[in-house]
Amino acid sequence: MSDIEKVQCLIIGSGPAGYTAAIYAARADMKPVMYQGMQPGGQLTTTNEVENFPGYPEGITGPAMMMELESQAKRFDTDVRFGFITKVDFSGSIHKCWTETGHEIHAETVIISTGASAKYLGLESEQKFLLNGGGVSACAVCDGFFYRGQETVIVGAGDSACEEAHYLSKLCTKVTMLVRRDEFRASKIMVERVEKTPNIEILYNTDTVEVIGEDVVSAVKVKNNKTGVESIIPATGFFVAIGHKPNTDIFSDYLNLDEVGYIKYEKPGTSYTNVPGVFVAGDAADKTYRQAITAAGTGCMAALDAERYLAAKGH
Ligand code: NDP
């Protein structure tokens, strides 16, 4: 078919990993084409203030930072496109990808930076305060600082919830953990750590009923799912730590994924996947750090690995 587009470097996803990969790839003259994906700018666009990305001493909002990254990538002629890749075929040396409109792209290298999506409870009140920046967050390391000296609630019982509750306990006067069963899922050592922290209160068998407040969060209504008793916990921040889902479904026929769906690195310390010429950066392969700066770092690695891969093929 004549309308097949051939590209040296296709970048899928537009968070800090994707844009950093684009900046490096474009400056190396790889003429990258980026598909921004369903949520242009990625998870950071749901973050209010970013204060921990080096180079912004006064902080910057998540959306503003993503616009800056986009303009930096475009400055070096990255072809940034609104749209998303819905299908891939990585069975040959040329990597075939299709967009949602059916446009077929043959890429010599592909950098996957599709990220992961935080899971939320799905309550209407939770989504309201998430969207208006009024006190719901899925990242304590990103947003905990805004609740210094205040009371917060965190839902979840895995390692992330324990880690984030402990992080919040150093900033907040009180942290209430909502555990839906009568036990944690997290490792023993993490559970012991939260149990031993005096300003963390653990409520077992407890579900969230509603996040309460006018424009900002002021309390959380919870219900004991054994007794049916409802209570109200005063809090200005509501943190959700019930897991993430990596956005990797379309690659599952070709790439090695772990049991949750994170892409496995073929060689530690690189961005290689098990398919030559396909590289991964950011949260699609990272369930541990999940920070904008670590995503940006791996985006740089992916572009350098892709450049070396092309050079070895004689480009
Ligand atoms: P997990 O999937 O391990 O845990 C999710 C937790 O959220 C579970 O306790 C689950 O409850 C709870 N949950 C899910 N849905 C709801 C809901 N609707 N309402 C209330 N609670 C809910 O995710 P994590 O992000 O914690 O961890 C992901 C992976 O990363 C794990 O393998 C973990 O070990 C690893 N990790 C390791 C760390 C470390 O070692 N330092 C730090 C962070 C993560 P239930 O138990 O009832 O299903």
Side-chain angles (χ1 to χ4, degrees):
M1 262 172 65
S2 58
D3 59 352
I4 293 174
E5 182 181 12
K6 295 187 177 170
V7 304
Q8 281 185 55
C9 178
L10 177 68
I11 299 173
I12 310 177
S14 59
Y19 280 127
T20 306
I23 292 162
Y24 274 78
R27 295 185 79 255
D29 204 25
M30 290 157 68
K31 303 183 173 46
V33 171
M34 170 190 277
Y35 275 83
Q36 287 184 306
M38 304 274 251
Q39 188 181 22
Q43 286 184 80
L44 267 189
T45 53
T46 61
T47 301
N48 249 355
E49 199 70 16
V50 181
E51 292 185 330
N52 54 8
F53 199 97
Y56 296 97
E58 305 305 324
I60 182 167
T61 67
M65 184 174 157
M66 297 323 299
M67 283 164 68
E68 293 215 345
L69 282 173
E70 181 176 339
S71 56
Q72 193 172 351
K74 283 181 170 167
R75 181 180 152 208
F76 302 110
D77 293 335
T78 302
D79 186 345
V80 178
R81 298 179 188 171
F82 185 70
F84 46 98
I85 302 296
T86 53
K87 193 174 109 180
V88 300
D89 177 351
F90 290 163
S91 57
S93 62
I94 285 294
H95 312 298
K96 299 177 182 171
C97 302
W98 288 265
T99 69
E100 83 283 9
T101 61
H103 178 53
E104 185 171 344
I105 299 170
H106 289 187
E108 288 185 69
T109 63
V110 176
I111 295 176
I112 298 171
S113 49
T114 47
S117 305
K119 293 184 191 163
Y120 290 93
L121 298 175
L123 297 171
E124 203 179 304
S125 54
E126 168 206 58
Q127 292 301 307
K128 176 186 125 184
F129 291 115
L130 176 68
L131 293 176
N132 78 353
V136 168
S137 166
C139 180
V141 177
C142 318
D143 298 326
F145 189 72
F146 303 115
Y147 302 93
R148 271 169 306 158
Q150 301 169 42
E151 297 187 11
T152 52
V153 170
I154 182 164
V155 56
D159 283 326
S160 297
C162 291
E163 202 164 71
E164 303 219 337
H166 192 251
Y167 183 89
L168 288 171
S169 72
K170 293 189 225 150
L171 300 164
C172 303
T173 49
K174 184 174 175 196
V175 180
T176 305
M177 267 191 108
L178 310 181
V179 176
R180 67 177 172 181
R181 292 184 293 134
D182 58 2
E183 61 176 359
F184 277 87
R185 178 181 295 274
S187 52
K188 203 161 169 271
I189 187 165
M190 303 288 264
V191 177
E192 279 172 7
R193 198 197 283 175
V194 294
E195 281 175 341
K196 280 188 190 152
T197 306
N199 63 339
I200 298 180
E201 182 181 6
I202 302 162
L203 301 181
Y204 291 97
N205 298 120
T206 301
D207 294 329
T208 310
V209 177
E210 188 188 351
V211 186
I212 298 170
E214 283 292 320
D215 295 330
V216 294
V217 174
S218 61
V220 180
K221 187 196 268 189
V222 301
K223 180 179 181 177
N224 184 303
N225 55 35
K226 283 268 184 307
T227 63
V229 173
E230 290 191 344
S231 49
I232 290 188
I233 307 167
T236 49
F238 181 71
F239 287 85
V240 186
I242 61 170
H244 285 74
K245 185 180 179 328
N247 304 317
T248 57
D249 289 353
I250 60 167
F251 310 113
S252 62
D253 287 344
Y254 302 97
L255 299 187
N256 292 335
L257 310 179
D258 75 5
E259 63 287 352
V260 182
Y262 288 96
I263 296 171
K264 286 186 181 172
Y265 284 114
E266 184 68 5
K267 275 194 219 166
T270 72
S271 66
Y272 286 59
T273 68
N274 58 299
V275 175
V278 177
F279 306 90
V280 61
D283 288 11
D286 175 12
K287 64 179 171 194
T288 309
Y289 299 104
R290 298 196 285 242
Q291 299 301 300
I293 188 69
T294 49
T298 52
C300 161
M301 288 165 65
L304 293 177
D305 286 340
E307 184 191 349
R308 285 168 195 158
Y309 171 88
L310 287 174
K313 285 180 70 184
H315 272 274

